[in-house]
Amino acid sequence: MGKTLKVLGWLIGMVLLLIIAAVILIPMFVDPNDHKDRIVAEVKKATGRDLTIGGDIGLSVFPRLALELNGLTLSNAKGFKEGDFAAVKHAEVGVNLLPLLIDQLLEVDTVRVEGLKLNLARSKSGVTNWDDMLGKTEGEQESVEVESPRQDKAGLMAFTVGGLSIKEANLVWDDQSTGERYQIDNIYLETGELAPGRSVDLNFSMDLASRKPLLKGGVKLTSKMLVKPDEQVFSMQDLQLAVNLTGDGMPEEGVKSLLEGNLQVNLTSDILDLHDLELTSGKLKLTGRVQGEEIQTNPTFKGDLNLAEFNLREWMNQFGLPVPETADEEVLQSLFLSSDFTASPDQLVLKNLLLELDQTKLKGEFEMVNFASPTYLFNLVLNTINVDRYLPPTAEPGRAPAKPSKGGSENEPLFPNELLRGLRLDGTVRIDSLIVNGLQAEAILLKVRGRDGKLNLDHEVGRFYDGLMKGDVQLDVTGERPAINLTQKVSRILSGPLLLDLTGKDTLLGSGDLDMQLTSRGNTVKQLKRGLNGQLSFDFRDGAVKGFNLAKMIRDTKAKLKGEGTMVLNEPEQTDFSELIGRATIVNGVVNNQSLLAKSPYLRLEGSGKAYLLEERLKYTVRPVIVNTPAGQGGEALEDLVGIPIPVKIKGNWNDPDFSIQLSKILEEQQKAKLKQKLDQKVDEKIGEKLEEKVPEELKDKLKDKLKNLF
């Protein structure tokens, strides 16, 4: 047995001796440079490309297996620009043999690469300049199947590397099919020893340039990197990524940004944690944390982000972005954003959302489902906003923007049909206080629903000029022309302050109700006016119509008839009423009102006529009847007109209509009244004579009245 072991040991020793002798003698008698031509020929045979070896090939076997290459170039594919596809000035790598043979431990020396150049390109037909090395032809570009990624969790190979050193590397991507061209120069990568469970310093930098879009800049990354293959853990502590860019859309001095944080990835638990995140760029500062789950199979990320308050107007100016001209130059001064988030490949959820713009605060929740065909869900609360401050300035401070000129904006499209047809949303917005176009509203509730080109907006306003407003707007853009259906009910509003804020003139005073049911079709203001149909009704109490004094107008007209001068009295240019009621129908943009009724202590008024929305003109007649006259203040001048209908014509542009009283009608009605009065007097006398002797005294007056009414 001992002899056998002795022989076996002798054989093993001889084998080891032969291996050592071969390792020592092979480099002495075999020069790899003698085989350059064969290597070039084999590469040509395999790829169809020309390989050039301009420098020496270094080979060593013991105590380390090492390979050194110098001056390598590989030609470009056919059909692409002449030049090199790839080039390497110097590259070397080595492996220590004894640890590998004895301990099965892979120890790789520092891998060094210098002067790497890689030119990647795609032709106008979509072929890349490396497809030929993959065995693909132009016709096979779209049909080649890509192996599906394995669903099992990826592992980290346990090995030790003395370090990585890449210097003066350059990469170009030229896409002729899109015109995009990116160039990365001076790629630098340097690490310490890469060993399992041991942190290593990582330094990386590069310069980059792009033709479309036009960009130029530099990137620098530093970190302490740790890899634990057994636990499948990867981390980067004290991560710092600095980016400096100039080019299109950038400020003249460029943009400098710095990303800091700590990253840890655990492939066994399939989680990711990026904490102490901080991104700064000028006066912008974003902080937060990102955590990931199932990152290899079905990644889901959650965390929180906070954008510190900054001056939005200054930031837009810095980046050369157009700052909108606003009525208030003090807006767009302050912006702040914070939110918790959850994100997956097909969903984004924002909770505890807080957006602050100047004095406006927006809170709530927002959700986006299915990125390919998104649905938006939201529940938001807005404290207060004055939209007029953000609109273009007007000629009169505090007034709503000037009305666009006719023929201009009236013919411009109102609704982005294609966008609305694909819009899916369902949400609620509550607004404490809102000012828009001069109008003020409080306690607003908006419910928005939209799908497949049909949108619905339910709205309630709890405080609207001391009244309530509730309604529903439906917009259908599925057809060639959008269709609108509006139902609106307003209760107990003060019309004076409302009109004053809306138009600058309180032409109608009083408190009242308004109901509307309207429909129309069109995508411009002009089309909507022409296609407007529906009905409306109103009921106002204890108010006045400002701009004309109907009693004064009648009194002055009567004075002209008699050739007398008009009375000068200190009285307002308005016509008071105790109630104003009316109904109207609208057909193809023409408002037809045949039932207007107004009452005051001294007047009863009926009216009828039409308003033409396209032409913005009126054709209307009101028929006031004086039922009583006030004492003094010119009331005695109207006494003989009591009970006589007085037609007043109103026509012309509704912003400045003409008023005229039909004098002939007044005379005619006045004569009728006088004749009736005389007839009544004659009848009264005749009846009195007949009844004088035959009827008891107590029945005379009653019989006179009844008999007189027969005539």
Side-chain angles (χ1 to χ4, degrees):
M1 183 66 178
K3 185 177 181 180
T4 302
L5 292 176
K6 186 176 182 181
V7 172
L8 183 59
W10 180 81
L11 290 174
I12 294 174
M14 287 296 295
V15 170
L16 291 175
L17 181 62
L18 290 173
I19 292 174
I20 294 172
V23 167
I24 296 174
L25 294 175
I26 286 176
M28 297 176 59
F29 294 99
V30 178
D31 186 355
N33 292 285
D34 295 338
H35 301 277
K36 285 183 179 181
D37 293 340
R38 183 177 178 183
I39 295 173
V40 170
E42 289 296 329
V43 171
K44 180 72 173 181
K45 181 180 178 181
T47 66
R49 306 205 188 184
D50 296 326
L51 175 67
T52 301
I53 306 176
D56 292 336
I57 300 176
L59 177 66
S60 64
V61 180
F62 192 82
R64 55 192 290 272
L65 179 62
L67 177 65
E68 181 179 340
L69 302 172
N70 295 279
L72 295 182
T73 62
L74 183 65
S75 65
N76 211 347
K78 292 181 180 180
F80 291 86
K81 295 180 181 179
E82 293 185 4
D84 299 330
F85 169 74
V88 177
K89 182 179 179 180
H90 173 79
E92 64 176 274
V93 63
V95 178
N96 293 323
L97 287 179
L98 291 180
L100 180 63
L101 295 174
I102 298 174
D103 299 326
Q104 295 183 341
L105 176 64
L106 179 62
E107 290 186 358
V108 181
D109 288 344
T110 300
V111 179
R112 303 181 186 277
V113 179
E114 295 182 15
L116 170 66
K117 294 182 179 180
L118 190 59
N119 295 307
L120 305 177
R122 176 185 285 134
S123 69
K124 291 183 179 180
S125 60
V127 179
T128 65
N129 63 344
W130 65 87
D131 284 340
D132 58 319
M133 293 190 292
L134 301 177
K136 296 190 290 184
T137 62
E138 183 174 348
E140 298 173 327
Q141 298 306 308
E142 301 299 329
S143 61
V144 173
E145 295 184 1
V146 179
E147 182 180 354
S148 300
R150 295 178 58 186
Q151 296 299 315
D152 57 331
K153 297 181 180 180
L156 292 176
M157 181 179 179
F159 61 90
T160 301
V161 180
L164 295 175
S165 178
I166 300 176
K167 298 179 180 179
E168 299 178 3
N170 300 282
L171 172 66
V172 174
W173 167 246
D174 189 1
D175 191 342
Q176 295 295 323
S177 64
T178 63
E180 295 177 345
R181 188 178 191 277
Y182 300 94
Q183 182 171 334
I184 302 176
D185 297 326
N186 300 320
I187 299 175
Y188 171 83
L189 175 63
E190 193 78 30
T191 73
E193 181 180 357
L194 303 174
R198 186 184 305 170
S199 65
V200 56
D201 290 335
L202 170 68
N203 291 277
F204 171 80
S205 65
M206 66 179 184
D207 298 329
L208 57 88
S210 166
R211 183 174 61 196
K212 184 182 178 182
L214 186 61
L215 290 175
K216 186 178 180 181
V219 176
K220 185 176 181 180
L221 171 68
T222 61
S223 178
K224 289 185 177 295
M225 187 172 65
L226 175 65
V227 179
K228 297 180 180 180
D230 295 340
E231 301 176 18
Q232 299 192 58
V233 172
F234 168 80
S235 68
M236 297 182 73
Q237 301 298 313
D238 301 326
L239 172 68
Q240 289 190 338
L241 175 63
V243 180
N244 186 3
L245 293 175
T246 60
D248 289 346
M250 303 284 180
E252 211 174 297
E253 64 274 15
V255 174
K256 296 181 180 180
S257 59
L258 176 64
L259 174 67
E260 299 177 280
N262 296 286
L263 172 67
Q264 182 170 339
V265 179
N266 188 322
L267 297 179
T268 302
S269 302
D270 212 13
I271 59 174
L272 172 149
D273 187 6
L274 176 59
H275 54 279
D276 300 324
L277 174 65
E278 183 174 307
L279 174 63
T280 56
S281 179
K283 295 184 178 180
L284 290 184
K285 184 177 181 180
L286 180 68
T287 59
R289 181 172 186 171
V290 180
Q291 295 176 302
E293 300 177 352
E294 300 183 44
I295 58 176
Q296 301 175 80
T297 54
N298 184 31
T300 300
F301 299 93
K302 63 180 180 179
D304 61 88
L305 295 174
N306 298 276
L307 180 62
E309 181 180 344
F310 69 101
N311 190 308
L312 179 60
R313 187 179 290 269
E314 288 183 0
W315 181 82
M316 295 177 74
N317 281 321
Q318 179 186 5
F319 276 80
L321 299 175
V323 180
E325 189 179 8
T326 57
D328 187 350
E329 296 181 355
E330 297 300 316
V331 300
L332 304 179
Q333 297 287 343
S334 172
L335 179 65
F336 168 82
L337 175 66
S338 68
S339 179
D340 299 333
F341 72 91
T342 301
S344 65
D346 61 354
Q347 186 179 31
L348 171 66
V349 179
L350 301 181
K351 290 184 177 294
N352 300 319
L353 173 66
L354 174 59
L355 172 65
E356 296 184 9
L357 176 63
D358 300 323
Q359 291 77 38
T360 299
K361 293 184 179 181
L362 178 69
K363 299 179 180 180
E365 300 177 353
F366 175 85
E367 184 174 351
M368 181 177 177
V369 182
N370 186 7
F371 297 148
S373 180
T375 297
Y376 304 95
L377 310 173
F378 51 89
N379 186 2
L380 304 172
V381 177
L382 189 74
N383 67 334
T384 179
I385 185 169
N386 184 343
V387 178
D388 291 346
R389 297 176 64 198
Y390 298 86
L391 295 176
T394 59
E396 298 179 44
R399 293 276 77 84
K403 183 180 179 181
S405 59
K406 279 188 74 174
S409 297
E410 284 202 352
N411 291 313
E412 294 179 359
L414 293 175
F415 309 113
N417 293 342
E418 291 302 321
L419 174 64
L420 294 176
R421 285 166 186 159
L423 190 63
R424 299 181 179 182
L425 68 167
D426 190 347
T428 300
V429 180
R430 291 175 172 83
I431 305 175
D432 294 339
S433 176
L434 171 68
I435 299 177
V436 58
N437 285 338
L439 297 179
Q440 303 180 46
E442 297 179 347
I444 304 167
L445 173 62
L446 304 176
K447 295 182 179 179
V448 186
R449 297 181 302 278
R451 186 180 183 89
D452 301 329
K454 295 182 179 181
L455 284 84
N456 190 85
L457 174 63
D458 291 331
H459 55 278
E460 295 182 16
V461 182
R463 291 185 294 276
F464 187 66
Y465 293 91
D466 280 1
L468 305 174
M469 184 168 68
K470 184 176 181 180
D472 175 81
V473 180
Q474 297 176 7
L475 176 63
D476 187 343
V477 296
T478 56
E480 182 178 350
R481 282 191 174 187
I484 299 179
N485 191 319
L486 168 66
T487 301
Q488 189 73 60
K489 183 177 179 63
V490 183
S491 305
R492 303 188 305 277
I493 63 165
L494 295 178
S495 59
L498 170 62
L499 292 174
L500 185 62
D501 286 343
L502 182 62
T503 67
K505 297 180 180 180
D506 53 347
T507 53
L508 176 66
L509 304 178
S511 174
D513 302 337
L514 176 66
D515 288 340
M516 294 185 293
Q517 296 85 37
L518 305 175
T519 63
S520 187
R521 284 186 176 272
N523 197 22
T524 66
V525 173
K526 194 170 185 178
Q527 291 173 354
L528 291 175
K529 284 183 177 180
R530 182 183 291 115
L532 188 64
N533 291 274
Q535 57 185 6
L536 60 88
S537 62
F538 54 87
D539 184 348
F540 286 88
R541 302 298 171 112
D542 302 322
V545 179
K546 299 181 71 173
F548 73 99
N549 187 323
L550 187 57
K552 180 178 179 297
M553 187 182 301
I554 297 171
R555 189 170 57 242
D556 291 346
T557 302
K558 179 188 174 187
K560 289 179 181 179
L561 284 174
K562 293 183 176 182
E564 300 173 353
T566 58
M567 300 179 64
V568 179
L569 300 173
N570 184 19
E571 54 185 336
E573 285 293 321
Q574 67 182 42
T575 300
D576 298 332
F577 62 83
S578 57
E579 62 179 85
L580 178 63
I581 303 172
R583 288 181 174 275
T585 58
I586 306 173
V587 179
N588 297 330
V590 178
V591 183
N592 188 352
N593 168 228
Q594 298 298 324
S595 58
L596 177 69
L597 175 64
K599 296 180 181 179
S600 76
Y602 310 111
L603 288 173
R604 295 292 184 269
L605 181 145
E606 294 182 355
S608 61
K610 295 181 179 181
Y612 300 85
L613 300 182
L614 273 178
E615 297 86 355
E616 297 185 353
R617 65 183 177 89
L618 293 170
K619 188 177 181 182
Y620 207 81
T621 301
V622 295
R623 293 170 294 278
V625 177
I626 299 173
V627 296
N628 197 1
T629 58
Q633 295 294 310
E636 63 278 359
L638 300 175
E639 289 179 352
D640 55 349
L641 295 178
V642 172
I644 299 176
I646 305 171
V648 179
K649 293 288 187 182
I650 307 173
K651 62 181 181 178
N653 187 283
W654 59 37
N655 292 312
D656 187 21
D658 295 325
F659 296 87
S660 62
I661 296 179
Q662 293 181 287
L663 306 179
S664 60
K665 291 288 185 182
I666 295 178
L667 293 174
E668 181 181 338
E669 294 297 332
Q670 194 173 24
Q671 292 301 319
K672 286 181 179 180
K674 288 181 178 180
L675 289 174
K676 186 176 185 302
Q677 185 179 10
K678 290 181 178 180
L679 179 61
D680 289 344
Q681 186 177 355
K682 292 291 186 182
V683 170
D684 190 53
E685 291 175 357
K686 293 292 185 183
I687 294 173
E689 293 175 359
K690 298 294 184 181
L691 298 178
E692 186 69 30
E693 299 177 354
K694 300 181 179 180
V695 179
E697 189 68 31
E698 63 271 12
L699 296 178
K700 286 182 181 180
D701 292 336
K702 293 182 180 180
L703 287 173
K704 282 181 182 181
D705 292 337
K706 291 188 177 293
L707 291 171
K708 186 170 57 176
N709 289 335
L710 294 175
F711 299 90

